[in-house]
Amino acid sequence: IRCSLINCSLDEAPPYDAISYCWGSPSPSHAVFADGASLPVPQSAQEILSSRAADLTTAGVRYRWLDAICIDQSSTSDKTQQVRLMRDIYGHAERTVVYLGEPSLSPAESFVL
């Protein structure tokens, strides 16, 4: 997965999707390439980004906020600052996508809340 990062205030952000997901294992096991740099991400983050990549072919560019990429995971101060903003980050999102993992039920057994 390859992407580009933009840095902007919430008030100036383009419409974006905020993605919430289960981190799973605390050790990132996959990589996303952002502006040429490799960023380690948990498997579930890689799965949701891969599954949402199809949106790009039909909707043009989509902006997404994903904590594993948008928060500097090596910086305690950045994580602290961004966690304080989570309510606003999700509140300003055009859509919030919640990803709980790959379905374990057959389509006939699954349901939508």
Side-chain angles (χ1 to χ4, degrees), residues 40-55:
V41 297
Q43 179 177 340
S44 55
Q46 189 274 336
E47 288 173 1
I48 185 62
L49 290 172
S50 292
S51 71
R52 304 301 294 186
D55 290 352

Side-chain angles (χ1 to χ4, degrees), residues 10-11 15 17 26 34 36 42 46-47 56 70 78 81 91 97 104 110-111:
L10 285 172
D11 293 332
D17 297 344
Q46 189 274 336
E47 288 173 1
L56 298 176
C70 297
D78 193 48
Q81 178 187 12
V97 176
S104 58
S110 62
F111 59 92

